[in-house]
Amino acid sequence: MSKDSHIDRDLDLSNANRGVWLVKVPKYVAERWEKAPSDMEVGKLKITKPQGQKAQVSLTLSSAILNLNEPGQESIPKDHRLDVSTVTQQTLGVFSHVIPTNTDAVVPETEKLYMEGKIVQKLECRPYADNCYMKLKLESIRKASLPTRQVKQLDRVVQSYKPVSDHKNNIEYMERKKAEGKKARDDKDSVLEMLFAAFEKHQYYNIKDLVKITKQPITYLKEILKEVCNYNLKNPHKNMWELKPEYRHYKQEPAESEIKKDESDDD
């Protein structure tokens, strides 16, 4: 993230002390409110305060909201009660973010941030268990029980999007693996000759390189290697094979003393 991506903005706190309710409504109510136009009355809130009791809050949806149902859709309950609970040991706030629409002005407006208030109460909107609500609940249970996948009988041949039992790359890979598994085992002496010739060039080999050199099955090759080679388990040649000392016949350069002796004889 670049340094210029974060921009400090002023936060309007003029409504910071205003009390706000946080209301949780059923999904069917939220869906109807989202469909409603901005100028439509969505419902009425009624607060009654019986003497010596807690305040009782109820919500009645408007007729316009109730009539927004689609064809074949179940009707939703009209009356709801709101269970009130206070907010304790928690500070919650409501914020709004206003993005300017006129960006071509001489002095362009900046984005504005507002604190709309502090949440003082939580309310949960619950419907009354009447016949309307029970029908709605029964319909939701029926839809939830429907399988997501269904079997359909085709009345014609489908040419596109046919399932492939195996992909081309997988088939080629399996054929290659089978060909490698069917490698003919050479005579043990000929394999040893190839190994000794390879170890004359380098002292250490890993198993993959030896398989490429000898072209033998890996299990058969390991049997022979265990007889004439040692497997290194420590660094610096970890997981590498080398000939056992009794099989090593590396070409050694003549010693310096012998070279000097030959020079003196020539003199």
Side-chain angles (χ1 to χ4, degrees), residues 185-213:
R185 293 188 177 188
D186 291 340
D187 183 66
K188 183 178 178 181
D189 292 335
S190 60
V191 176
L192 285 172
E193 288 180 4
M194 288 187 284
L195 290 174
F196 290 144
F199 279 107
E200 284 183 2
K201 299 177 182 178
H202 301 286
Q203 186 176 355
Y204 302 97
Y205 284 93
N206 59 37
I207 190 65
K208 291 182 179 179
D209 292 335
L210 292 175
V211 169
K212 291 179 181 178
I213 293 170

Side-chain angles (χ1 to χ4, degrees), residues 164-177:
V164 180
S165 59
D166 205 351
H167 293 279
K168 182 180 178 182
N169 294 337
N170 295 336
I171 295 173
E172 292 177 353
Y173 174 76
M174 293 304 297
E175 289 178 351
R176 190 165 61 252
K177 292 292 289 184

Side-chain angles (χ1 to χ4, degrees), residues 40-85:
M40 178 185 289
E41 179 184 312
V42 296
K44 290 183 179 180
L45 201 64
K46 184 179 179 181
I47 304 173
T48 57
K49 293 183 179 180
Q51 188 175 1
Q53 298 181 10
K54 291 183 178 180
Q56 297 178 359
V57 186
S58 62
L59 171 67
T60 302
L61 298 178
S62 65
S63 300
I65 288 293
L66 297 175
N67 294 330
L68 283 177
N69 57 334
E70 298 176 356
Q73 189 177 11
E74 290 290 335
S75 301
I76 63 174
K78 181 178 180 180
D79 298 317
H80 300 74
R81 73 175 189 275
L82 280 82
D83 297 336
V84 183
S85 61

